Amino acid sequence: EVQLVESGGGLVQPGGSLRLSCAASGFIFSNYALYWVRQAPGKGLQYVSAISSNGDSTYYANSVKGRFTISRDNSKNTLYLQMGSLRAEDMAVYYCATAASDVWGKGTTVTVSS
Amino acid sequence: DIVMTQTPLSSPVTLGQPASISCRSSQSLVHSDGNTYLSWLQQRPGQPPRLLIYKVSNRFSGVPDRFSGSGAGTDFTLKISGVEAEDVGVYYCMQVTQYPQVTFGGGTKVEIK
């Protein structure tokens, strides 16, 4: 079965850090560019970051540039999002997805609160 | 960034009746390769998004044929020919033409009247 499974979400204080993971199975992970997309409570979808299939190229929304780092380990079929200097406005469900949007994970929830 | 504007915000529909959602982009979505990378996603309550339509009018695998997409340039439409109970949720248009800086519409909530 083709799937993406996110993990690593949780409660973090403002200014803190968190690393999200997205484990892939059922497809050739190294062939696909991937995204992180987030959804704040009761809000719509927002692009966060993207990475090319080999990891050489990375891209960020302006709102997270300089604070978040996307990476991948194709030997482990896993995508990562290192998040730092977290703010209240980063609180959301974070989804990983293929660049073609044909596979989405179920999401992991990040709560930023003191 | 390309801004995607969806209307209406909410669409109450009687079961079996059609529904239509519009999406307008702030600039043309025609890519230099000639394709138009406009997708539609469905998000049922409590679920992650799911791809319905890609490149304006292509139904993704397993998507019922009551869903159809059309449009060109900056104006696009998603139609549901006869709404079923399982179609309740929020629908998003998404442009991938300006990859990797993809953008989403604000969403349209389809609910049963």
Side-chain angles (χ1 to χ4, degrees):
Chain A
E1 182 190 2
V2 172
Q3 63 176 353
L4 295 169
V5 179
E6 303 92 339
S7 61
L11 173 63
V12 61
Q13 291 187 338
S17 299
L18 211 55
R19 188 176 86 153
L20 306 183
S21 299
C22 170
S25 59
F27 63 100
I28 303 175
F29 182 75
S30 58
N31 284 357
Y32 289 82
L34 297 162
Y35 288 119
W36 286 101
V37 173
R38 68 186 180 185
Q39 187 169 37
K43 301 296 185 183
L45 301 170
Q46 182 188 29
Y47 158 78
V48 173
S49 182
I51 189 166
S52 61
S53 57
N54 62 9
D56 283 355
S57 299
T58 58
Y59 312 91
Y60 301 93
N62 287 337
S63 57
V64 306
K65 204 172 291 183
R67 300 188 300 120
F68 290 13
T69 301
I70 191 172
S71 62
R72 65 191 296 163
D73 186 337
N74 284 348
S75 68
K76 295 182 177 178
N77 289 350
T78 303
L79 171 72
Y80 302 100
L81 186 69
Q82 179 69 48
M83 304 188 295
S85 302
L86 282 162
R87 307 165 180 167
E89 54 264 35
D90 296 319
M91 187 161 66
V93 176
Y94 283 73
Y95 297 102
C96 59
T98 56
S101 301
D102 53 350
V103 185
W104 289 72
K106 293 191 187 316
T108 187
T109 301
V110 173
T111 303
V112 183
S113 175
S114 54
Chain B
D1 288 0
I2 298 176
V3 177
M4 307 296 289
T5 303
Q6 281 183 240
T7 54
L9 218 58
S10 174
S11 179
V13 185
T14 302
L15 282 173
Q17 292 301 300
S20 180
I21 300 169
S22 294
C23 176
R24 178 167 289 179
S25 57
S26 59
Q27 57 188 270
S28 173
L29 296 187
V30 179
H31 193 273
S32 56
D33 66 7
N35 289 306
T36 299
Y37 294 100
L38 185 283
S39 300
W40 289 95
L41 307 173
Q42 175 196 58
Q43 188 174 32
R44 291 170 172 152
Q47 296 293 313
R50 164 200 176 200
L51 179 65
L52 293 179
I53 303 284
Y54 63 96
K55 285 198 284 186
V56 181
S57 59
N58 296 275
R59 267 190 304 276
F60 185 56
S61 174
V63 174
D65 60 8
R66 63 180 180 275
F67 291 95
S68 64
S70 63
T74 61
D75 287 289
F76 305 92
T77 302
L78 176 70
K79 290 184 178 174
I80 310 173
S81 59
V83 171
E84 299 190 4
E86 65 178 19
D87 300 335
V88 165
V90 180
Y91 291 78
Y92 296 94
C93 60
M94 171 189 183
Q95 69 80 18
V96 194
T97 294
Q98 210 171 55
Y99 173 88
Q101 302 291 346
V102 301
T103 47
F104 300 88
T108 295
K109 188 174 186 178
V110 171
E111 51 195 354
I112 304 302
K113 202 183 289 185

